Amino acid sequence: MAAFAHPFRAFTAYRRAAYAGQPAPRRQFMARESMLELLARVGELLPLVEAPDLPWALAERVHDPAYLERWRNGEVTRTEERALGFPWTPAVVERGLGSSGATLAATQDALKRGLGINFGGGTHHAYADHAEGFSFLNDVVISAQWLLDAGHARRILILDLDVHQGNGTAAMLEREARALTVSLHGANNYPFTKETAGLNIALPDGTGDAAYLAVLDSQVAPAVAAFRPDFVFYLAGADVLAGDQLGKLALSVGGVRQRDERVLNWAARARIPLVTVMAGGYNRDPGQLIAARLGTLEAALGAFGAG
């Protein structure tokens, strides 16, 4: 592994057997050759560490155990597979455990180093008792519950800037006063029935850089400051980019970089531990998606003193 002048690293599940040699489960997902290119570029910025498996007991703290058992054993219906977005295979479980384990490991890094990174994750459509929208386990809720149980945080912010509302996260944390979900998302996009918990700001189709950043500054930033979090999960979705197959907004790569810098510089200046997960990104142009992902990592390293 190359030597780096900073202490940060990124965990990833993308080099697991569940991904190797298999086509993407949906045509909108990044092709394997583009993902390999992206992973190589990420490895030039910081060490890429293999994701550990999440212990099932931690998933059971937030998910219905009977639901988990059925999915572990593949005892799911076609209706449930359609809600997930692709058929059940053992790889679905492996990817879920790896992605959630990576977020937990990044959370532990953030407690020690200020910044934790899961190069993946952000499965915010998973509910306590059912899967939706490519999401089987809700990695951020699992790690947030671990923080609360262990007494490592008292006020947790989930800042969800994916183009889709984090409906599962909002529902799972609706009654948790120690957590605030903030979602800035497309109004006319999945999920078509939105959850109402937390702060939800819906943007019209075609929203570009200036309008997006203005809402971030005028509506999101004051709400975040008023909540006074002592730990942050940041879902840095790249599906806000123009040209995304599953998004309807129109940010540029530069606009996404400005978004990331606003969030990450604020957390670093306030000395609030932060975990960033990548969440969605399905751009028709893989070069745009690669640039946005690398920009997020560069912004994180720059904000926390490694740039």
Side-chain angles (χ1 to χ4, degrees):
M1 181 179 293
F4 291 88
H6 60 76
F8 304 113
R9 56 187 179 173
F11 293 88
T12 183
Y14 285 124
R15 297 192 295 209
R16 285 172 159 255
Y19 292 92
Q22 297 186 16
R26 290 286 295 253
R27 62 176 175 77
Q28 295 93 346
F29 289 9
M30 182 179 273
R32 178 168 170 74
E33 57 271 18
S34 296
M35 179 57 74
L36 291 174
E37 178 186 348
L38 177 53
L39 291 174
R41 298 281 298 279
V42 171
E44 296 171 0
L45 296 175
L46 74 178
L48 266 176
V49 180
E50 299 301 320
D53 271 348
L54 180 83
W56 281 107
L58 294 183
E60 290 174 353
R61 289 285 297 119
V62 303
H63 287 287
D64 175 60
Y67 158 72
L68 295 177
E69 187 64 19
R70 289 192 307 102
W71 279 77
R72 289 174 70 177
N73 297 329
E75 298 167 352
V76 299
T77 66
R78 292 294 299 277
T79 299
E80 290 174 308
E81 289 179 321
R82 284 193 292 271
L84 176 66
F86 41 80
W88 182 93
T89 68
V92 170
V93 177
E94 182 185 345
R95 288 195 294 264
L97 288 176
S99 180
S100 296
T103 297
L104 179 63
T107 300
Q108 294 164 342
D109 264 14
L111 291 172
K112 298 174 185 175
R113 309 175 187 195
L115 173 67
I117 300 170
N118 176 5
F119 192 72
T123 46
H124 58 169
H125 298 307
Y127 282 73
D129 61 357
H130 67 276
E132 285 190 14
F134 314 152
S135 302
F136 155 57
L137 297 175
N138 196 309
D139 61 314
V140 166
V141 174
I142 291 167
S143 285
Q145 188 65 55
W146 177 82
L147 283 170
L148 294 171
D149 288 347
H152 293 312
R154 293 174 294 177
R155 300 177 69 81
I156 298 175
L157 169 69
I158 294 89
L159 181 56
D160 193 335
L161 301 188
D162 188 274
V163 80
H164 306 102
Q165 189 206 36
N167 55 339
T169 303
M172 292 175 75
L173 294 174
E174 182 173 10
R175 294 179 176 83
E176 178 50 78
R178 297 170 293 176
L180 173 67
T181 58
V182 176
S183 180
L184 180 59
H185 53 262
N188 302 310
N189 209 329
Y190 181 91
F192 299 106
T193 300
K194 306 290 194 291
E195 296 289 343
T196 59
L199 174 62
N200 295 284
I201 303 169
L203 299 171
D205 293 356
T207 297
D209 295 347
Y212 187 99
L213 294 171
V215 171
L216 193 63
D217 291 342
S218 65
Q219 298 186 50
V220 174
V224 166
F227 181 65
R228 295 179 291 108
D230 58 12
F231 198 98
V232 178
F233 290 97
Y234 173 40
L235 282 74
D239 44 11
V240 296
L241 278 170
D244 193 89
Q245 298 171 85
L246 300 180
K248 299 181 180 181
L249 302 187
L251 272 69
S252 68
V253 170
V256 174
R257 177 65 177 260
Q258 291 181 66
R259 176 202 70 174
D260 293 339
E261 288 175 344
R262 277 167 162 77
V263 172
L264 293 158
N265 287 338
W266 158 74
R269 286 194 302 265
R271 303 182 67 84
I272 302 172
L274 178 143
V275 170
T276 186
V277 297
M278 297 296 107
Y282 317 94
N283 211 276
R284 293 179 179 87
D285 179 355
Q288 293 281 297
L289 182 53
I290 288 172
R293 295 300 199 201
L294 294 174
T296 298
L297 296 181
E298 289 167 353
L301 295 175
F304 283 84

